[in-house]
Amino acid sequence: MRNVKTKRISLVVPVLNEQETIGLFLERVLPVVEAASEHISEPLTVEVVFVDDGSRDETAAIISAFARRDARVKLVSLSRNFGKEAALSAGLKYATGDAVIPMDVDLQDPPEVVPEMISKWVAGAKVVEGVRIDRSSDTFLKRLTAGRFYDLFNRLADHPIPANVGDFRLMDREVVDVLLTLGERTRFNKSLFSWVGFSRDEVAFVREPRAMGASKWRYWKLWNFALDGIISSSTAPLRVWTYIGTLLGSLAIAYAGFILGAKLLGNVDVPGYASLMVAVLLLGALNLISLGILGEYIGRISTEVRGRPLYIVERTFGIDASDLPRVSRG
Ligand code: UDP
Ligand code: MG
């Protein structure tokens, strides 16, 4: 943390086609966050770093118009849609605050809990997680799949992620600087955020329904996102084949012993067509599944090896290059 008296809070907000929400967001969030200085009796400044993730509507123009009038508003425009995870990573790089808070623009992360996060941060926590205490604003299917995902993820991953904690959290500059040094291309921020550790605290919040517009996530995208998360945090899906193979091998040997015994005792029956088919198809399927999983990992290795940047910044607005943090990586 820098030793200045005034603390700067950066809100990092990825946006995709959100022209109707930008104004609403700024109007509601800025006063609430600035008022936090009363709670902690220390002066605060706030900046909002919007990352335009390749919007096709007026999102970028609207943000630039705000930025022109208000120095607290900044814009990083990506050259196309890179996905929320990449956009968030870009925002973390361009944020200059002593504490950084990723937020969704749709007001689903209520700004009213930000002052509480800030006071826990001032009290010493390096990470203050927002914990959702109520998912009733989600559909039943979303709740069900999210619950199963967290169970599975935490059973498999080398490092668990807390259930019901999303990207909405406060992170100290020290934590953000460490995150910026992590080099992987497949970003699953939720897991990276918890992987780095640091002293943590939490605040509870209720996730509200979207203020306007529609969610940008569809189930197929969420499924791929979940797959990325598990594969980038665990090698269990690769290792499990060793055990399945060993188990099936042992069964095969036992069965071979049984057949040999039957042959020696002279009572050989003609082996069934059905059992042969089942064995062949089952083993074929297992082979294909294990190959597919290998493929998932190899595909990600080749993405990493290619080493292309995570995102491409087309232009920025309101950002002073000399302000940018020391660690930089794109
Ligand atoms: N978003 C983005 N890039 C994408 C998809 C979404 O920057 O490819 C932004 C979106 O504008 C919003 C945030 O990520 O600020 C969360 O998206 P959304 O509300 O659609 O997701 P949900 O809340 O349904 O998980
Ligand atoms: Mg949302």
Side-chain angles (χ1 to χ4, degrees):
M1 206 187 303
R2 277 172 285 173
N3 271 334
V4 282
K5 270 215 94 214
T6 310
K7 292 198 153 74
R8 193 206 296 254
I9 308 290
S10 301
L11 307 178
V12 171
V13 191
V15 284
L16 171 66
N17 301 333
E18 301 277 6
Q19 56 185 9
E20 40 326 51
T21 20
I22 309 286
L24 223 73
F25 175 84
L26 287 172
E27 207 174 286
R28 173 134 164 238
V29 170
L30 283 173
V32 177
V33 178
E34 280 183 337
S37 73
E38 292 157 22
H39 294 258
I40 58 166
S41 60
E42 277 179 78
L44 279 184
T45 58
V46 180
E47 68 169 3
V48 182
V49 181
F50 284 106
V51 184
D52 174 25
D53 188 16
S55 299
R56 288 167 189 277
D57 62 2
E58 294 304 305
T59 300
I62 292 173
I63 298 172
S64 326
F66 275 109
R68 216 166 283 130
R69 290 197 302 267
D70 187 339
R72 297 171 297 179
V73 178
K74 298 171 181 187
L75 171 65
V76 177
S77 259
L78 303 188
S79 61
R80 62 168 170 82
N81 179 246
F82 282 87
K84 185 187 168 189
E85 299 298 300
L88 191 53
S89 308
L92 291 183
K93 185 179 153 197
Y94 282 89
T96 59
D98 303 296
V100 178
I101 308 177
M103 275 179 100
D104 286 357
V105 75
D106 53 17
L107 294 169
Q108 287 199 282
D109 304 326
E112 289 70 25
V113 304
V114 169
E116 208 183 321
M117 286 179 167
I118 294 175
S119 50
K120 292 198 164 163
W121 167 60
V122 170
K126 290 272 157 71
V127 177
V128 186
E129 291 166 348
V131 180
R132 296 175 65 172
I133 49 171
D134 172 19
R135 291 188 80 112
S136 59
S137 66
D138 281 345
T139 61
F140 172 74
L141 190 59
K142 176 101 182 250
R143 258 178 291 161
L144 186 78
T145 48
R148 292 290 77 73
F149 169 71
Y150 282 116
D151 285 351
L152 182 68
F153 185 94
N154 286 339
R155 207 160 311 140
L156 295 181
D158 309 326
H159 188 81
I161 48 177
N164 298 322
V165 176
D167 296 329
F168 184 41
R169 65 185 74 203
L170 179 149
M171 292 178 284
D172 186 82
R173 166 56 46 199
E174 208 181 318
V175 180
V176 175
D177 281 349
V178 171
L179 282 170
L180 291 175
T181 64
L182 302 182
E184 57 237 82
R185 312 280 119 189
T186 316
R187 304 298 276 209
F188 188 64
N189 283 310
K190 256 196 281 249
S191 130
L192 295 182
F193 289 172
S194 76
W195 181 84
V196 295
F198 289 98
S199 59
R200 58 174 290 284
D201 205 334
E202 59 186 45
V203 297
F205 76 101
V206 177
R207 194 156 159 96
E208 290 165 36
R210 210 173 209 285
M212 234 181 222
S215 169
K216 308 291 180 293
W217 295 87
R218 294 285 168 267
Y219 279 101
W220 179 244
K221 219 168 140 193
L222 277 175
W223 159 254
N224 282 313
F225 184 53
L227 206 62
D228 267 349
I230 289 175
I231 287 176
S232 64
S233 316
S234 166
T235 51
L238 283 176
R239 288 197 315 260
V240 69
W241 301 104
T242 318
Y243 302 102
I244 294 179
T246 313
L247 180 72
L248 284 178
S250 322
L251 289 177
I253 289 172
Y255 190 50
F258 167 73
I259 292 177
L260 194 66
K263 166 96 186 158
L264 290 180
L265 292 176
N267 49 356
V268 191
D269 59 340
V270 182
Y273 154 83
S275 54
L276 261 181
M277 275 312 273
V278 169
V280 167
L281 290 178
L282 178 78
L283 287 177
L286 286 179
N287 268 323
L288 289 179
I289 296 172
S290 59
L291 267 178
I293 289 186
L294 267 179
E296 292 286 343
Y297 280 85
I298 293 173
R300 281 167 180 79
I301 295 171
S302 61
T303 311
E304 297 293 331
V305 169
R306 253 182 257 137
R308 293 196 188 153
L310 211 54
Y311 51 83
I312 299 167
V313 174
E314 186 167 341
R315 63 193 187 92
T316 62
F317 201 102
I319 287 181
D320 179 358
S322 64
D323 260 3
L324 284 185
R326 5 324 88 210
V327 195
S328 66
R329 184 173 185 132

